Amino acid sequence: MSKKILTVDDSASIRQMVSFTLKSAGYEVAEAVDGNAGLSKAQGAQFDLVLTDQNMPGMDGLTLIRSLRKQASYSSTPILMLTTESSDQMKALGRAAGASGWLVKPFDPQKLLDVVKRLVG
């Protein structure tokens, strides 16, 4: 049974690239256009990993992570940030919010797959 991954990003091209990369490796992928849509999808189904952007309209990635971590079903689910933000301060905020890892855009597809495989198999 393939692992289910939710990717949350307001950029359609990034969602397409991430989905293509993950699906080509056998993962089942759902997409959400922003944090609010991501939270709604996460509440409607259980995902094995959540991959989120930081800067999105409505709800940003850090708020999404905090919201997911409050739910028992996502208290230990790996959550990766995939964002253009790369400052140490932002990464510290991500760790404090409960992010499991941090990848900077533009992403290397193989590096993304390596990290995802390490986290969920």
Side-chain angles (χ1 to χ4, degrees):
M1 187 168 158
S2 64
K3 300 289 185 177
K4 292 173 59 176
I5 298 174
L6 174 62
T7 182
V8 184
D9 200 306
D10 60 331
S11 166
S13 61
I14 293 293
R15 287 195 313 274
Q16 287 177 332
M17 290 174 17
V18 169
S19 289
F20 176 79
T21 300
L22 294 172
K23 286 178 179 176
S24 70
Y27 295 103
E28 183 179 332
V29 181
E31 298 179 18
V33 298
D34 60 29
N36 289 316
L39 182 59
S40 179
K41 285 197 175 189
Q43 291 172 328
Q46 182 64 44
F47 292 93
D48 299 296
L49 183 141
V50 177
L51 189 63
T52 182
D53 187 16
Q54 164 55 18
N55 299 311
M56 299 179 285
M59 179 188 295
D60 64 28
L62 290 175
T63 304
L64 173 62
I65 292 171
R66 288 186 199 105
S67 297
L68 289 173
R69 289 298 186 217
K70 289 178 185 173
Q71 300 178 28
S73 58
Y74 285 96
S75 63
S76 62
T77 301
I79 303 176
L80 289 173
M81 291 291 291
L82 178 62
T83 178
T84 56
E85 301 280 351
S86 61
S87 72
D88 289 341
Q89 180 185 10
M90 188 57 84
K91 290 177 183 177
L93 289 172
R95 279 191 295 275
S100 308
W102 199 279
L103 295 169
V104 177
K105 297 178 190 172
F107 69 96
D108 174 347
Q110 189 57 54
K111 186 173 181 180
L112 173 65
L113 290 175
D114 290 347
V115 172
V116 168
K117 185 174 182 178
R118 189 168 2 113
L119 291 171
V120 297

